Amino acid sequence: MVKLLNQAGSAGEIPGIQRVILSGGKPSFQSLLDDVCERLQGTRQQGSLRRIHKLEEILNTLEKELGEIQAIFLAACQAEAIQE
């Protein structure tokens, strides 16, 4: 059975927020809290993995650009050596 409290906004409560009372073998507050924390941790991990992937893409782009700059510099140095 699930009971909703604070529908009218009692003293000390935030109006519009409902508290849920679980009974009849329903999960305890601790198990609900654990479940929410696990889902939050999973969400944070997914966000971290997305950021790591994005940073890896940026790093690959920078490495490519550095390779191009090094090739240009090497070609310039070789051209200068030929002129001398």
Side-chain angles (χ1 to χ4, degrees):
M1 174 208 271
V2 176
K3 294 181 181 178
L4 298 177
L5 302 178
N6 189 33
Q7 292 176 349
S10 59
E13 300 284 344
I14 301 170
I17 301 296
Q18 298 179 344
R19 290 186 355 206
V20 178
I21 303 298
L22 302 173
S23 62
K26 299 293 182 187
S28 68
F29 176 76
Q30 185 63 45
S31 64
L32 289 173
L33 182 60
D34 290 343
D35 182 53
V36 169
C37 289
E38 287 175 16
R39 287 187 285 149
L40 177 60
Q41 184 66 27
T43 301
R44 291 182 70 193
Q45 289 172 350
Q46 289 175 358
S48 294
L49 289 174
R50 280 192 300 270
R51 285 189 298 277
I52 288 170
H53 181 69
K54 183 64 178 171
L55 290 172
E56 184 177 23
E57 290 174 356
I58 292 169
L59 179 59
N60 289 335
T61 301
L62 291 173
E63 286 176 338
K64 181 181 174 186
E65 290 175 1
L66 178 60
E68 292 170 358
I69 291 170
Q70 287 174 331
I72 292 169
F73 180 74
L74 181 59
C77 287
Q78 289 173 347
E80 185 177 318
I82 292 173
Q83 289 178 356
E84 291 178 353

